[in-house]
C-alpha cells in the first residue's frame, strides 16, 4: 500500500530562553493509507511537537515531511495554508469549533473555504453529521452541545474537507470515559468506512487499546512501533 | 459566511459592543443634526439675502457696479423687461434707479442708498413689502412717499408720516433735493441693510433728477427655483448679448456662496473629530477581541483560513460594529433633522447679537441626503482603520503556539 506520509530525520529544537530543548529528535517513520495509529508517550515526550510538524503547523529544525509526494516544509507559507486545508483534517483537544456557528455551519465552513458548491456542502454536512451520530443537532451552537458531541462535530469537520489523513492531538483529554470510548469508536468506524488515515496522540490507555498501530515516543525518539490486530 | 461570522461575533460580548454602538450612534447623531442645522442656517441666510437684497439675478450696464456712476444707465429698459418676462421660470422682473444721497430729518442726517422702484413690480421680486412693521408699503402717502428701514428711522428719529429731505445729484451733477414723507418702515434681520437702504417711487426720483423715463440702473430678476439658475442665466445672456452685465446672486455676493461651502467644511471637520475620538474606542475593543480569541484564530488558521480571510474577518467585524452605530445615529439624526425642517430651533435666547449679522432667531434645519451617504462612507473608513492594527496582531498569531495547551 502507498505511503501517505513519509518522514525523514524529523527534528525540532526549541531555543527558548537559555536551555535548548530537543523536543523531537531525528524521527524516521512512514504512515500508510488507512492506518489507525496512536502516538503515545508520557507528557513532554514530544507528541504534540511531532504532530504539529506533521500537520504543517510547526516548522521542523531539520528533516522532511512528505505528504502525497509533496515536501510540505518547502511550500511557501501561503501555499502551506491551502495545503493544510485540502490535505489534513484536524481535531484538537479544545477550541475546535467556531462558537458563533452551528454544528452544521462549522462543518460546512471548511468546505466553503475550499470553494465547494453550496449543494454539495449541504448534502455532505448532513451526511457527515448523521455519520458521527448527531444529525439532529445540526442547528445547535457548540455551547449547546456536550464535550463529546463537540468532538464528534470536530471529527465530521475534519472529514468534510476529504483530507489525506486526520491528525488528532489528545482529542479525548477533556472527555469523560463514556464519551472517550464513544469518540474512539466513532473514529475507528470512520477510519473503516472512509478508509481515512488517522493519527492521534494520547496517553490514555483506553484510547491506545483501540489503535491498530502504536508508536511510542520518549524524549523525542521512537521507542517502539507495534502493530495490532483488532476486531 | 465570513460576514455572518463577523456579525455574530459582535454579539458575543453584548455589553461591550453596545457601548461602542451607542457611542458611535450618539456621535453621528450629533454630527448629522449639527450638519443639518448649519446647512439650514446658511441657506436661510442666503434665501433671505436673495429675497430682500440681491434677488436671483441682476443686470447692469458694464461698469455700473464698480463706480455707481449715475449717468451709466441702461437705455431701453422697458423692452428688456418685457422680453425677460417671456423667459420660462422667471417669475418677476423689476427695474430700479440707484443713487447715493443724504436723508435728513429735522434733527439729523444720514448717508443712504436710494432705490427708485416700481412698487408693483418690486413686489414680484423682493420681499421688502412683507417686512413692513409700521405704516404701509408706499400706500397711505400721496405725494413723494418713502419706505425706510427701522434702524434708519431710529437714527433719524422719524415715524410714519414724518418728513424727510433727500438730497442727491441730478443728471447734470447739480445738487437737488426733495421732501418725502415716510409711508412705511421695514425691518429685515440685517441691521446694516436697514440702516442704509431707502426706497422711493421711480417716478418721483426721476422727476427730481431728470433721469430718462425709460432708463434704469438695475434690473432685478426673480425665478421660481435656484435649481434653474444656470439655465435661466443662459437665456438671459442670450437676450442681452454682450452689451449688458448679467450676474447671479453667487457673483453678486461671493461671500454668500462661500457660506454654504464653509458650513459644509465645518460639518465634515466636526464629524471627523467625532470619528477620530470614536476610533480609539473601536481600536481598543478590537484589540480585546483579538486577544480573547487567540486560540480560536489559531484554530481557524490551522484548518485553512488564510491571512487575507482572517484579516477580512476582523475588518468586517470592526466595520459592522461601527456601521451599526453609524446607521442608528444617521437614522435618529435624519429623523430629528426632518422634524427640524418644519419645527424650527428657537435661538431667540441668544439671537440678539446674532440678528445683527442677519441671521434668523428661528433656524429650520436642512437635511442633505448626500451628506448621509458621505457620513456612512466616513464611518466605514473609520471601521477599517480601527481594525488594521488589531487585525495585524491577529495575523501574527502562530497556530502552533495558539493551540498549545499549557
Ligand atoms: N514552544 C515551546 N518552546 C519551548 N519548549 C517547548 C515548546 N513546546 C514544547 N516544548 C517542550 O518540548 C517538549 C515536548 O513537548 P510536547 O511536544 O508538548 O510534548 P507532549 O505533547 O508529548 O506532552 C517539552 O519538553 C516541552 O517543554
Ligand atoms: Mg501534547
Amino acid at each position: 500500500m502507498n505511503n501517505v506520509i513519509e518522514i525523514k530525520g524529523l527534528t525540532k529544537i526549541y531555543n527558548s530562553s537559555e536551555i535548548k530543548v530537543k523536543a523531537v529528535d531525528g524521527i524516521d517513520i512512514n504512515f500508510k493509507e488507512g492506518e489507525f495509529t496512536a502516538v503515545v508517550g508520557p507528557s513532554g515526550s514530544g507528541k504534540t511537537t511531532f504532530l504539529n510538524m506533521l500537520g504543517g503547523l510547526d516548522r521542523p529544525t531539520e528533516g522532511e515531511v512528505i505528504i502525497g509526494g509533496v515536501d510540505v516544509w518547502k511550500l511557501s507559507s501561503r501555499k502551506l495554508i491551502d495545503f493544510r486545508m485540502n490535505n489534513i483534517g484536524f481535531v484538537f483537544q479544545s477550541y475546535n469549533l467556531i462558537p458563533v456557528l452551528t454544528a452544521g455551519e462549522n462543518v460546512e465552513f471548511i468546505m466553503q473555504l475550499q470553494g465547494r458548491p453550496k449543494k454539495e456542502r449541504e448534502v455532505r454536512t448532513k451526511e457527515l453529521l448523521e455519520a458521527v451520530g448527531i444529525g439532529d443537532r445540526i442547528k445547535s451552537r457548540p455551547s449547546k452541545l456536550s464535550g463529546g458531541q463537540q468532538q464528534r462535530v470536530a471529527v465530521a469537520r475534519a472529514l468534510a474537507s476529504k483530507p489525506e489523513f486526520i491528525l488528532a492531538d489528545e482529542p479525548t483529554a477533556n472527555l469523560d470515559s463514556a464519551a472517550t470510548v464513544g469518540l474512539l469508536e466513532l473514529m475507528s468506524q470512520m477510519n473503516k468506512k472512509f478508509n481515512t488515515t488517522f493519527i492521534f496522540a494520547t496517553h490514555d490507555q483506553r484510547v491506545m487499546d483501540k489503535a491498530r498501530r502504536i508508536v511510542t515516543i520518549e524524549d523525542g525518539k521512537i521507542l517502539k512501533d507495534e502493530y495490532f490486530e483488532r476486531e | 459566511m465570513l460576514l455572518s461570522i463577523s456579525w455574530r461575533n459582535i454579539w458575543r460580548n453584548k455589553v461591550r459592543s453596545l457601548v461602542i454602538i451607542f457611542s458611535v450612534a450618539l456621535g453621528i447623531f450629533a454630527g448629522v443634526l449639527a450638519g443639518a442645522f448649519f446647512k439650514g442656517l446658511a441657506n436661510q441666510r442666503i434665501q433671505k439675502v436673495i429675497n430682500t437684497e440681491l434677488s436671483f439675478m441682476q443686470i447692469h450696464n458694464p461698469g455700473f457696479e464698480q463706480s455707481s456712476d449715475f449717468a451709466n444707465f441702461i437705455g431701453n429698459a422697458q423692452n428688456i423687461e418685457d422680453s425677460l418676462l417671456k423667459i420660462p421660470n422667471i417669475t418677476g422682473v423689476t427695474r430700479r434707479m440707484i443713487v447715493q444721497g443724504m436723508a435728513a430729518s429735522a434733527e439729523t442726517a444720514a448717508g443712504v442708498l436710494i432705490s427708485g422702484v416700481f412698487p408693483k413690480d418690486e413686489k414680484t421680486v423682493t420681499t421688502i413689502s412683507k417686512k413692513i412693521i409700521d405704516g404701509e408699503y408706499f400706500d397711505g402717502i400721496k405725494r413723494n412717499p418713502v419706505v425706510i428701514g427701522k434702524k434708519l428711522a431710529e437714527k433719524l428719529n422719524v415715524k410714519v408720516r414724518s418728513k424727510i429731505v433727500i438730497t442727491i445729484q441730478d443728471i447734470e451733477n447739480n445738487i437737488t433735493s426733495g421732501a418725502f414723507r415716510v409711508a412705511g418702515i421695514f425691518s429685515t434681520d440685517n441691521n446694516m441693510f436697514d440702516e442704509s437702504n431707502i426706497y422711493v417711487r421711480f417716478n418721483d426720483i426721476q422727476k427730481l433728477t431728470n433721469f430718462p423715463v425709460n432708463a434704469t440702473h438695475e434690473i432685478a430678476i426673480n425665478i421660481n427655483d435656484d435649481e434653474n439658475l444656470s439655465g435661466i442665466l443662459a437665456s438671459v445672456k442670450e437676450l442681452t448679448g454682450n452689451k449688458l452685465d448679467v450676474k447671479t446672486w453667487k457673483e453678486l455676493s461671493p461671500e454668500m456662496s462661500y457660506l454654504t461651502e464653509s458650513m459644509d467644511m465645518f460639518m465634515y471637520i466636526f464629524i471627523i473629530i467625532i470619528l477620530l475620538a470614536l476610533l480609539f474606542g473601536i481600536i481598543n475593543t478590537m484589540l480585546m477581541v483579538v486577544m480573547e480569541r487567540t486560540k480560536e484564530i489559531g484554530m481557524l488558521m490551522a484548518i485553512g483560513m488564510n491571512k487575507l480571510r482572517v484579516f477580512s474577518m476582523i475588518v468586517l467585524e470592526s466595520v459592522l460594529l461601527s456601521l451599526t452605530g453609524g446607521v442608528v445615529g444617521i437614522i435618529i439624526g435624519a429623523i430629528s433633522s426632518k422634524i427640524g425642517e418644519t419645527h424650527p430651533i428657537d435661538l431667540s435666547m441668544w439671537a440678539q447679537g446674532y440678528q445683527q449679522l442677519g441671521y434668523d432667531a428661528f433656524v429650520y434645519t436642512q437635511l442633505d441626503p448626500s451628506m448621509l451617504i458621505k457620513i456612512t462612507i466616513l464611518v466605514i473608513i473609520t471601521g477599517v482603520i480601527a481594525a488594521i492594527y488589531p487585525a495585524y496582531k491577529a495575523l501574527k498569531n502562530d497556530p502552533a503556539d495558539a493551540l498549545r495547551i499549557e
Side-chain angles (χ1 to χ4, degrees), chain A residues 14-16 21-24 41-50 58 169-170, chain B residues 401 404:
Chain A
Y14 286 112
N15 269 323
S16 64
V21 182
K22 220 169 192 178
V24 171
S43 183
S45 56
K47 304 182 294 293
T48 295
T49 309
F50 174 64
D58 205 359
D169 191 2
E170 315 239 9
Chain B
D401 281 344
R404 200 172 271 281

Side-chain angles (χ1 to χ4, degrees), chain B residues 37 42 136 153 295 307 312 334:
Chain B
F37 175 82
E136 275 173 274
K295 288 191 186 292
K307 295 197 171 193
S312 312

